Amino acid sequence: MLFENGTTASADLVIAADGANSKIRKYLTDIKPVYSGITIVEGNIYNAAVNAPHLWKLTNGGKVFALGSYKTIVLSAKGEGSLSFYTGTKETEDWVETSGIDFENKEEVFSWFKHRFSDWSADWNEIFLTDESYFVARPQYHFPLNQSWQTLPDLTMIGDAAHRMPPFAGEGVNQAMQDALELYEALCLDNFNTIQEAVASFEKNMCSRNAEVTEDTLMQTEALHAENSLQYLLDMFNQLPDELT
């Protein structure tokens, strides 16, 4: 491997774990991601107890999932006192480029929000009251359910680099951790003759597992941005075992 600073390194196996915008994935496959139809506007409010006190109190150290009118807002309290959030709305794939919004300009994002969420309570406007925050737009993509590639002897990938998906089922990080465990088991515990055989077995299982998870995630993403989203969520919780509610 040759790095930009001129240094070089060699390894028996390189594992790409460089996220949804992986620069290494292209060396394994040219399969492109598919737009889900949902775009997130993500942000973080620092010192939220002061800068967004009502929403910070509402979140109460945990997570808030608000939904309705084909839109969502998710709040998450962080241990260091910040409040992360993201909106979910149905937009065209090129909306970030064609909307004319400068997502580094709080007032422009706020203007969009007030229009797009005009049928929601004004209480959510507290997200925009402080300058101790940031905003970034993220169109949500996933890879085809039937994706596969030719196994290489010295390169593989895990996590979002291999199987990015929207966050509305909360499975992305879980699958990445499962990938790491199963790759370790294939390389270190199972009885394969070569690294390539171990990686081939791992990749086959990973793709199969994540095809199911991605399908469930896409169903959840659509359901949470549909007309009857609230009832869908209530029904889902009502079906959970008592020990999980």
Side-chain angles (χ1 to χ4, degrees):
M1 294 179 290
L2 175 63
F3 295 93
E4 288 183 355
N5 64 4
T7 60
T8 60
S10 60
D12 293 327
L13 177 64
V14 174
I15 302 169
D18 54 339
N21 297 313
S22 171
K23 296 183 181 301
I24 303 176
R25 178 183 168 92
K26 64 184 179 183
Y27 296 105
L28 277 160
T29 177
D30 60 359
I31 296 173
K32 303 300 182 185
V34 179
Y35 181 53
S36 69
I38 300 296
T39 290
I40 281 172
V41 176
E42 176 189 338
N44 200 74
I45 302 170
Y46 302 101
N47 194 15
V50 172
N51 292 320
H54 299 296
L55 293 179
W56 177 254
K57 183 178 180 180
L58 177 66
T59 308
N60 193 29
K63 186 181 289 286
V64 169
F65 211 120
L67 63 166
S69 303
Y70 305 94
K71 301 182 284 282
T72 56
I73 297 177
V74 179
L75 302 177
S76 298
K78 303 301 182 183
E80 93 297 5
S82 68
L83 188 66
S84 70
F85 64 88
Y86 55 83
T87 65
T89 56
K90 292 186 175 183
E91 312 292 351
T92 60
E93 185 175 4
D94 63 352
W95 174 74
V96 175
E97 291 76 28
T98 61
S99 65
I101 301 169
D102 177 0
F103 289 94
E104 295 184 359
N105 185 312
K106 184 189 74 172
E107 295 306 321
E108 290 191 20
V109 181
F110 190 19
S111 179
W112 163 79
F113 180 84
K114 287 186 290 186
H115 175 74
R116 195 69 170 85
F117 285 80
S118 60
D119 52 346
W120 282 43
S121 167
D123 291 345
W124 296 100
N125 293 350
E126 190 178 51
I127 290 171
F128 298 90
L129 295 185
T130 178
D131 290 329
E132 292 187 60
S133 61
Y134 73 83
F135 306 94
V136 59
R138 301 189 188 279
Q140 295 301 296
Y141 289 87
H142 64 90
F143 288 114
L145 301 185
N146 62 345
Q147 71 165 340
S148 63
W149 52 86
Q150 185 67 40
T151 298
L152 299 180
D154 53 2
L155 178 62
T156 189
M157 56 184 168
I158 63 174
D160 285 351
H163 45 70
R164 66 189 295 184
M165 63 187 75
F168 296 101
E171 282 290 350
V173 68
N174 294 334
Q175 295 307 308
M177 293 172 66
Q178 186 72 19
D179 293 346
L181 173 62
E182 292 185 5
L183 180 56
Y184 154 73
E185 292 176 339
L187 290 171
C188 300
L189 301 183
D190 294 334
N191 190 26
F192 292 103
N193 293 320
T194 66
I195 290 177
Q196 187 167 3
E197 288 181 8
V199 170
S201 176
F202 159 74
E203 290 178 344
K204 180 180 179 181
N205 292 335
M206 176 182 66
C207 288
S208 176
R209 167 168 47 85
N210 276 283
E212 295 182 11
V213 172
T214 300
E215 185 174 25
D216 289 344
T217 295
L218 295 177
M219 291 174 58
Q220 181 95 330
T221 299
E222 179 61 29
L224 294 179
H225 296 87
E227 182 177 8
N228 61 342
S229 56
L230 180 57
Q231 188 60 52
Y232 167 82
L233 196 61
L234 291 172
D235 291 343
M236 184 179 71
F237 280 115
N238 285 333
Q239 293 171 9
L240 292 174
D242 291 340
E243 60 269 20
L244 296 179
T245 59

